[in-house]
Amino acid sequence: MTRDWHAWHEEYADPASSLSRRLEEVRIQLAAVLERGTGPVRLLSLCSGDGRDTIPVVAGAERDVVVTLVELDEELAAAAVVGAASAGIAADVRTGDAGVATTWSDVLPVDVLMLCGVFGNVTDAAVKGTVAAARSMLAPGGSVIWTRGNRVPDDPTGHLDDPAEQVRRVFLAAGFEEVAFVRPADASYRVGVARLAEPSAEPIPDRLFTFVR
Ligand SMILES: C[S@@+](CC[C@H](N)C(=O)[O-])C[C@H]1O[C@@H](n2cnc3c(N)ncnc32)[C@H](O)[C@@H]1O
């Protein structure tokens, strides 16, 4: 890894920060996804950090949620284990490379796939490949909750406009329906929710993405 992801998480300490506002929006969108259905839910979060966008929402949900979190950094994964235990939820926290399918392929299909803090760190080709793979990772009617920053330092995208707009286009081209897209006028984070009616039977590639920044 090239970035200090512990330092990145420190911005959460300021409740007024853009990152904290994004967190709140992700939680709102996850809660809305969970409220839309009935019955048990399988949730997979890739590059989950300490799981703070997922754990409290699942703890407050009316439905049973089977949670798998995948995070490369051992300390952040350990924080997720502690966070889940103190929230009273059972979570399968895996310390490993979320870009590699074998790290999580045994829990597929899932109803909710969280890709928060991923797309701004990978190439445009990897965004496309990950969205394409998501079509084979979801159960029918499953949702992806994703984020993308605009004006990310050393942004890996080749697109000149707001890169979140390209992510939206990629989901639509892959057959997803857009359920939500949040683009605050005064902040650079974007949060999207995309739903897939009919999953694909295409095989999932061995590797979806590698962080490039
Ligand atoms: C931008 S942060 C997002 C964290 C969390 N999803 C959030 O929104 O709070 C990216 C996270 O991905 C983790 N990460 C980087 N490369 C990874 C990989 N190949 N597999 C799993 N996690 C990775 C970092 O350690 C970091 O916690």
Side-chain angles (χ1 to χ4, degrees):
M1 274 190 286
T2 51
R3 289 201 67 184
D4 180 350
W5 292 111
H6 294 264
W8 182 91
H9 277 75
E10 284 167 12
E11 200 188 322
Y12 280 132
D14 175 3
S17 69
S18 176
L19 191 60
S20 293
R21 287 177 58 194
R22 189 194 87 169
L23 171 66
E24 193 49 36
E25 190 57 53
V26 170
R27 287 174 173 167
I28 288 168
Q29 295 300 334
L30 175 57
V33 167
L34 296 180
E35 276 166 20
R36 275 195 279 274
T38 54
V41 181
R42 294 151 294 185
L43 180 152
L44 172 64
S45 176
L46 301 186
C47 305
S48 54
D50 60 12
R52 71 177 71 202
D53 51 9
T54 306
I55 291 166
V57 181
V58 169
E62 300 286 329
R63 301 167 73 184
D64 285 341
V65 187
V66 177
V67 177
T68 307
L69 307 177
V70 183
E71 166 57 44
L72 191 57
D73 183 274
E74 282 180 15
E75 281 181 42
L76 291 168
V81 171
V82 171
S86 47
I89 69 157
D92 178 358
V93 181
R94 300 183 178 188
T95 307
D97 187 344
V100 174
T102 50
T103 311
W104 37 260
S105 52
D106 59 307
V107 303
L108 301 180
V110 292
D111 305 289
V112 182
L113 175 62
M114 312 265 303
L115 295 170
C116 298
V118 177
F119 289 153
N121 297 299
V122 305
T123 62
D124 293 328
V127 171
K128 262 193 178 169
T130 301
V131 171
R135 299 176 68 240
S136 301
M137 296 167 69
L138 291 168
S143 300
V144 179
I145 301 176
W146 59 271
T147 69
R148 181 62 161 100
N150 190 15
R151 302 189 301 274
V152 167
D154 306 316
D155 199 313
T157 190
H159 294 276
L160 297 177
D161 63 349
D162 181 337
E165 296 297 337
Q166 174 61 14
V167 176
R168 295 174 82 186
R169 290 191 286 269
V170 169
F171 272 107
L172 290 177
F176 285 79
E177 165 202 357
E178 188 170 84
V179 176
F181 180 66
V182 180
R183 179 180 41 203
D186 62 343
S188 59
Y189 68 87
R190 281 86 177 92
V191 179
V193 181
R195 184 179 174 278
L196 185 70
E198 287 298 327
S200 156
E202 286 288 306
I204 296 167
D206 295 341
R207 176 172 280 284
L208 271 50
F209 56 78
T210 302
F211 273 31
V212 294
R213 61 183 284 276

